Structure formats: C-alpha cells, structure tokens
C-alpha cells in the first residue's frame, strides 16, 4: 500500500507551563481558542495534513501534558522529533529567560539536526509585554532559529509559525 502523503514530520511543543502551548496546538489544529477546557485536556498529539510546495505533508504535533511544570520531560518525548517550537510568553519574562535551559534540554535529548523555531506567544496582550521583539529575535538568530510572535487567542501568526517550521524541514529534504 502506498503512503497517502509525501512527508511525515513529528513536531514538539516545548516551553514553560502556561506560555500557551496547548492553546497554540488547538488553534493550529482546530482553529479554536478556549479559556476553560485546555487545562484539563491531556493531549498527546494531534495530526494535521497540509499541502505545501506541491507536497502532502502530515504534521504530527506533540504537546506535553503538564510534565513541563516539573521539568520532567523525558528523552522519550524528544525521540524521533524533526522539529521543535520553543515557546515562551511575551508577558512573562522568566519564560523567555528559561528558553536557554530548554535549548540545552533539546540539545541533550533530540537529534543533532533538529529544526527549531522560537515562538513568543500572547502578542495580543501588549499592555503586559515584558520581552521586546528585538531581544527575542536576536536570541533566536544567535541560536539559528526563526522567531515568530503569535497569539493563540487572536489567531495571529499561528499557522505561519507552524508552516515556517514545516517549510524548513521540507527544504532540508
Ligand atoms: P500551556 O501550559 O503552555 O499549555 O498553556 P495553555 O495553553 O494551557 O495556556 C495557559 C493560559 O494562557 C490559559 O489561561 C490560556 O487561556 C492563556 N493563553 C494561551 N494563549 C494565549 C494568547 O495567545 N493570548 C492570551 N492573552 N492568553 C493566552
Ligand atoms: Mg498545556
């Protein structure tokens, strides 16, 4: 039986608790945002099939079910991953500062050629912004990552961020 897709990519959402990882996944996959239900969903992964650059791409996105709270994400989670969305909250400075430590975890557990993208979520809440675009972008650039500011709530740049990562993976071949 022939596969019904050209590529299958396994992506991971990584980052501190409450930055909006589950919200980004639900926005990406279902186009919805919910203030109430997300905390109770123990999502493992969601699959979305997209057509990109003439290829059918199956995107399997994994979400942590709260393990990040205890920093107990095991190496099994990283196994086989092609790409990571490293997420922080633009309204929570400590979540940005923790990204360096998350990068170390990724380097330790994931494959060497993993593709990374930095995502600063909650850009809708500009009154409470604690991280400047420029400093996040410069951190991203210095680690070879693209940077996107997103809002899962207002649907800003969510599809774009996932697509940028998938495009980078397709470009790698
Ligand atoms: P996770 O722990 O990283 O999975 O984060 P959640 O998706 O559970 O979101 C944590 C909290 O942030 C929830 O109260 C969400 O409603 C809220 N949230 C998530 N994304 C956004 C966003 O883009 N903008 C705003 N203002 N709040 C958000
Ligand atoms: Mg979550």
């Amino acid at each position: 039986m022939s596969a019904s897709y050209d590529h299958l990519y396994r992506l991971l959402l990584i980052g501190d608790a409450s930055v909006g990882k589950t919200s980004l996944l639900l926005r990406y996959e279902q186009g919805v945002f919910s203030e109430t239900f997300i905390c109770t969903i123990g999502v493992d992964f969601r699959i979305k099939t997209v057509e990109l650059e003439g290829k059918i791409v199956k995107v399997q996105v994994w979400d942590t079910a709260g393990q990040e709270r205890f920093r107990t994400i095991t190496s099994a989670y990283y196994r086989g991953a092609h790409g990571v969305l490293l997420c922080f909250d633009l309204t929570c400075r400590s979540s940005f500062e923790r990204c360096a430590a998350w990068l170390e975890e990724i380097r330790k557990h994931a494959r060497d050629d993993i593709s990374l993208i930095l995502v600063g979520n909650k850009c809708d809440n500009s009154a409470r912004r604690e991280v400047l675009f420029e400093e996040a972008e410069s951190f991203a650039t210095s680690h070879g990552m693209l940077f996107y500011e997103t809002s899962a709530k207002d649907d800003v740049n969510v599809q774009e961020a996932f697509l940028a990562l998938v495009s980078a993976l397709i470009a790698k071949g």
Side-chain angles (χ1 to χ4, degrees):
M1 202 177 84
S2 68
S4 55
Y5 51 86
D6 299 300
H7 299 286
L8 169 65
Y9 294 126
R10 176 173 147 95
L11 310 184
L12 310 180
L13 287 156
I14 301 277
D16 275 9
S18 299
V19 301
K21 299 181 299 299
T22 302
S23 300
L24 285 164
L25 179 54
L26 291 181
R27 171 60 79 191
Y28 175 63
E29 196 251 344
Q30 296 180 358
V32 297
F33 178 78
S34 163
E35 301 257 7
T36 43
F37 293 112
I38 43 180
C39 301
T40 55
I41 299 174
V43 219
D44 281 330
F45 68 86
R46 305 265 166 165
I47 293 180
K48 184 161 174 162
T49 304
V50 294
E51 201 182 331
L52 200 67
E53 293 158 27
K55 304 279 186 201
I56 306 292
V57 184
K58 245 186 173 169
V59 185
Q60 190 187 59
V61 190
W62 288 76
D63 185 19
T64 53
Q67 302 98 309
E68 74 277 25
R69 220 169 281 278
F70 313 102
R71 298 185 187 151
T72 53
I73 296 180
T74 59
S75 54
Y77 183 69
Y78 294 91
R79 205 164 295 143
H82 302 93
V84 169
L85 294 107
L86 176 56
C87 307
F88 68 95
D89 176 350
L90 290 162
T91 69
C92 174
R93 180 136 199 110
S94 64
S95 73
F96 173 62
E97 284 166 356
R98 280 267 307 143
C99 285
W102 282 121
L103 270 180
E104 266 177 46
E105 285 288 291
I106 295 162
R107 295 287 176 223
K108 194 159 70 183
H109 297 296
R111 61 173 69 166
D112 291 340
D113 66 343
I114 193 139
S115 292
L116 302 163
I117 190 166
L118 185 68
V119 173
N121 190 41
K122 309 194 188 179
C123 71
D124 56 278
N125 199 346
S126 51
R128 293 190 47 209
R129 177 186 279 268
E130 293 183 0
V131 182
L132 293 174
F133 178 89
E134 290 73 18
E135 59 179 328
E137 191 185 43
S138 120
F139 173 78
T141 305
S142 70
H143 290 92
M145 298 183 278
L146 287 173
F147 173 56
Y148 280 84
E149 288 196 345
T150 63
S151 168
K153 188 177 183 182
D154 288 354
D155 197 8
V156 178
N157 267 346
V158 178
Q159 306 297 322
E160 286 82 352
F162 279 93
L163 278 182
L165 184 52
V166 171
S167 292
L169 288 166
I170 292 176
K172 273 187 180 173

